Amino acid sequence: MPQQPMWRTIAKHRTLYLLMLPGIVFYIVFKYVPMYGILIGFQEYSVMKGVWGSEWVGLKHFETFFQRTPDAWKLIRNTILLNVYDLLFHFPAPIALAVLLNELKNEMFKRFVQTVSYMPHFLSTVVIVGMVVNFLSPQSGIVNHLLAALGFDRVMFMGLPEWFRTIYVGSEIWQKLGWGTILYLAAIAGIDPTLYEAAKIDGANRWQQIRHITFVGMVPVIVILFVLNLGNMMEVGYQKIILMYNPTVYETADVINTFVYRRGILSADFSFAAAVGLFQSAIGFLLVVAANRAAKKYTDTSLW
């Protein structure tokens, strides 16, 4: 049977293409069109001269970051460590919650848990950080009240570098845990119920059913999300960090994005900021490609 012309296919499925249109326009306008701005990373950018009139300086800004920025490697280390901790503790949390919710038999309690776990996602980052600061306040925070009641000394959590990563990752889990279960619950819902019935007949207990049926059914979604998360390994949600950190915790809290914010936006060094941003994006791209190749080699799932 001869293949239909593209215009006929589009006309036949025009409703679906219209639904896709807002997303396509969004990515074109806000993701692809601004990409020409990476040129200023190779220039001594001047607002008056514009992108095409500014002087070209080659790799000067990249050399400045790696060779003349004293804290460059500390910034890279902090960025990588925060992302590694996020992958170790935050990434598996929605998977575990989705499995636990799937095992609940009481539908009313299940919906209650889902609703409560979703709620922090709809709060702004400013509100979340404000709540965290209040909870951990050395004088009026509930955490320090509990420590004092148990006979322990009060702790200035927000002023100690060793506590920053724990607080950041913990707040990420709290805020995004429930929302992150949606895709995993959808994957579980797509598993054929007859597989569980067959497993019961074969004598499999609940743990064995979870391990060999539920978890296996979730693997494609887990792999895709893991690959996408690796693409952000050199980036961190700097909005939350800016709201949480202060000079006393720069040792562990200062990451590439916050440094670029101070240097590129506050100091108006746009070329330097663009160069460091391009470096982050390049590393993220390489990580996604490598992770996708590994996923394609060892599993049946990949992005492309």
Side-chain angles (χ1 to χ4, degrees):
M1 183 176 178
Q3 188 176 5
Q4 287 186 342
M6 182 181 293
W7 67 269
R8 285 190 177 179
T9 303
I10 295 175
K12 182 179 179 181
H13 303 288
R14 58 185 177 277
T15 305
L16 295 176
Y17 282 102
L18 284 173
L19 289 173
M20 292 170 56
L21 189 60
I24 294 172
V25 171
F26 171 83
Y27 277 95
I28 290 175
V29 174
F30 294 103
K31 301 296 182 180
Y32 287 97
V33 172
M35 285 182 68
Y36 84 96
I38 64 175
L39 293 174
I40 70 175
F42 304 92
Q43 298 175 329
E44 200 65 64
Y45 177 70
S46 169
V47 177
M48 300 301 295
K49 295 179 181 179
V51 175
W52 304 111
S54 298
E55 178 187 357
W56 288 86
V57 294
L59 301 177
K60 173 186 173 182
H61 300 297
F62 297 92
E63 295 174 356
T64 300
F65 179 67
F66 288 107
Q67 298 178 4
R68 302 175 191 174
T69 303
D71 297 330
W73 297 109
K74 182 186 76 174
L75 298 169
I76 294 173
R77 181 198 66 196
N78 289 342
T79 303
I80 292 175
L81 282 177
L82 273 180
N83 280 291
V84 168
Y85 292 155
D86 192 72
L87 281 178
L88 289 176
F89 300 104
H90 177 206
F91 185 78
I95 300 172
L97 180 60
V99 172
L100 292 173
L101 288 173
N102 184 62
E103 294 300 309
L104 288 176
K105 302 304 179 184
N106 189 320
E107 286 297 322
M108 185 175 293
F109 181 67
K110 180 178 179 179
R111 290 171 186 164
F112 172 76
V113 173
Q114 285 180 288
T115 302
V116 171
S117 63
Y118 291 167
M119 286 177 65
H121 172 80
F122 297 100
L123 299 176
S124 70
T125 302
V126 175
V127 173
I128 290 292
V129 173
M131 294 173 70
V132 169
V133 171
N134 285 330
F135 291 158
L136 301 178
S137 170
Q139 300 301 326
S140 59
I142 186 173
V143 175
N144 273 301
H145 278 315
L146 290 174
L147 290 176
L150 294 172
F152 297 100
D153 294 332
R154 293 177 180 268
V155 179
M156 190 179 292
F157 291 101
M158 303 303 293
L160 297 175
E162 60 269 25
W163 276 101
F164 181 84
R165 292 175 184 141
T166 302
I167 295 170
Y168 177 85
V169 175
S171 67
E172 284 286 286
I173 295 173
W174 174 43
Q175 183 178 7
K176 301 176 180 178
L177 174 62
W179 189 257
T181 62
I182 293 176
L183 288 176
Y184 298 116
L185 287 172
I188 293 173
I191 298 174
D192 189 350
T194 59
L195 294 175
Y196 291 101
E197 296 173 6
K200 290 178 183 177
I201 294 173
D202 290 339
N205 57 33
R206 292 305 301 171
W207 168 247
Q208 290 171 328
Q209 292 176 44
I210 292 171
R211 180 183 175 186
H212 297 289
I213 300 176
T214 306
F215 184 75
V216 171
M218 297 166 66
V219 165
V221 176
I222 293 173
V223 170
I224 293 297
L225 292 180
F226 183 77
V227 171
L228 292 174
N229 271 270
L230 280 182
N232 295 321
M233 184 60 69
M234 293 301 294
E235 297 185 18
V236 183
Y238 69 95
Q239 298 95 335
K240 179 178 287 186
I241 293 180
I242 289 173
L243 292 167
M244 289 176 61
Y245 80 168
N246 56 74
T248 63
V249 295
Y250 275 1
E251 181 183 344
T252 56
D254 205 16
V255 295
I256 295 175
N257 281 347
T258 55
F259 173 75
V260 169
Y261 168 76
R262 294 197 306 273
R263 178 75 177 266
I265 305 300
L266 299 184
S267 300
D269 193 350
F270 303 118
S271 293
F272 181 84
V276 178
L278 179 58
F279 159 70
Q280 288 180 279
S281 299
I283 297 298
F285 174 75
L286 293 175
L287 287 172
V288 167
V289 172
N292 188 72
R293 290 190 64 179
K296 193 173 183 179
K297 181 177 181 180
Y298 297 107
T299 70
D300 296 328
T301 305
S302 61
L303 283 175
W304 64 84

